[in-house]
Amino acid sequence: MKKIMMMGKSGCGKTTLSQRLSGGEVSYKKTQAVEVLGGAILDTPGEYLEQKSFYKALIVSAVETDAVLILQDCTDPQCSFSPGMGSMFGRPLIGVVTKTDLAASPEEILHAEDLLRLAGAEKIFRVGLDSPQEDELSALLEYLS
């Protein structure tokens, strides 16, 4: 698998998705610092995105990766990504809409996709975290291979 960095707001599903992609046991814990899972996934704290003073840490962390995954919880109407934000990484930007299994309507998912495109995502995947569809995870894993 390509080496990737995940970023998104606190609670958007970065740790859960990284645990699923790396084949590890899924257990909730608050990410306090950049963690490497499975040797290829950098899981970043949500605060790194939520506080602009930490953007440098995201940029430096992305240097050693092949791609950056930005995650948007479809049940959260707000977005922390700036328009065109992906250009500061110099890496392919992949969007992941999370918690699709909890969406109240298809419009919530489409809104999340729009937010990811605005940030510069080149490709977008949809993933349910509480009851994930294997084909969703398989498609993302295949793309990252």
Side-chain angles (χ1 to χ4, degrees):
M1 178 165 55
K2 295 177 183 173
K3 190 166 187 182
I4 57 171
M5 179 180 79
M6 290 191 185
M7 59 185 262
K9 288 174 69 173
S10 295
C12 75
K14 296 178 301 295
T15 299
T16 301
L17 181 59
S18 60
Q19 290 170 344
R20 290 194 190 282
L21 289 174
S22 66
E25 181 181 328
V26 175
S27 61
Y28 178 78
K29 64 183 176 75
K30 174 67 182 107
T31 304
Q32 299 293 328
V34 175
E35 294 183 10
V36 180
L37 296 164
I41 302 171
L42 274 69
D43 182 9
T44 63
E47 291 80 7
Y48 281 24
L49 177 66
E50 295 162 359
Q51 299 179 30
K52 289 183 179 12
S53 60
F54 288 121
Y55 278 13
K56 293 175 193 170
L58 290 172
I59 294 168
V60 168
S61 297
V63 169
E64 295 295 323
T65 65
D66 300 310
V68 175
L69 270 64
I70 57 172
L71 282 68
Q72 175 67 39
D73 173 354
C74 70
T75 65
D76 183 355
Q78 296 184 338
C79 181
S80 293
F81 305 111
S82 303
M85 184 178 200
S87 63
M88 73 180 178
F89 296 107
R91 303 281 180 270
L93 195 69
I94 301 162
V96 180
V97 178
T98 61
K99 302 185 183 179
T100 57
D101 50 333
L102 303 177
S105 69
E107 288 76 26
E108 281 187 336
I109 297 171
L110 294 174
H111 176 68
E113 288 180 351
D114 288 343
L115 294 174
L116 293 170
R117 278 190 200 89
L118 187 60
E122 301 169 10
K123 178 108 173 119
I124 297 176
F125 294 89
R126 297 176 175 185
V127 177
L129 296 176
D130 286 337
S131 54
Q133 299 291 324
E134 286 304 316
D135 56 332
E136 295 172 336
L137 289 175
S138 295
L140 181 54
L141 272 170
E142 183 178 326
Y143 185 80
L144 296 173
S145 294

